[in-house]
Amino acid sequence: MGDGLIDVGALADIPPQGARVVKTAAGCVAVFRTADDRVFALDDRCPHKGGPLSEGIVHGTRVTCPLHNWVFDLATGEAQGADEGRVATHAVTVAGGRILIDAALLARRAVA
Ligand code: FES
């Protein structure tokens, strides 16, 4: 494990097609698990009107915002279809069943 990574919990704690919210100095980050056990981390704030993306529906590698149904690509954070906007994404990896996020990135943004 590198120095810049923080352990934000076990993969097993997030159900497939579910999410968990991690509170960081830079705000809340939503960590998503797909049906095929891939993990993505995005800001838990929809760029449309601030909806909690962690409460959205995960389908494939996308999530649908629970408020007005905008759809975002979990890998890029880009809004899909006609909607325009982007959610910040965070480097995330899984090692030994633990989910690790790049803490340095979060810290840099906290002081920006
Ligand atoms: S707040 Fe997410 S679609 Fe409107």
Side-chain angles (χ1 to χ4, degrees):
M1 185 187 307
D3 289 344
L5 299 175
I6 50 172
D7 185 329
V8 296
L11 178 63
D13 288 345
I14 305 178
Q17 294 181 285
R20 133 183 302 207
V21 180
V22 177
K23 291 195 169 84
T24 76
C28 291
V29 172
V31 180
F32 295 93
R33 175 179 178 182
T34 65
D36 58 358
D37 290 339
R38 283 187 285 169
V39 175
F40 299 93
L42 289 79
D43 279 1
D44 190 22
R45 185 176 164 77
C46 178
H48 178 219
K49 294 199 173 174
L53 294 176
S54 59
E55 295 176 21
I57 305 283
V58 176
H59 43 104
T61 54
R62 294 175 176 181
V63 63
T64 297
C65 179
L67 294 195
H68 315 99
N69 297 328
W70 283 26
V71 177
F72 297 91
D73 185 295
L74 291 172
T76 65
E78 297 281 353
Q80 305 295 291
D83 298 317
E84 291 186 11
R86 185 177 176 279
V87 189
T89 58
H90 304 282
V92 63
T93 187
V94 177
R98 306 297 298 182
I99 300 168
L100 308 169
I101 289 185
D102 186 336
L105 272 182
L106 293 173
R108 268 204 296 282
R109 208 177 51 168
V111 298

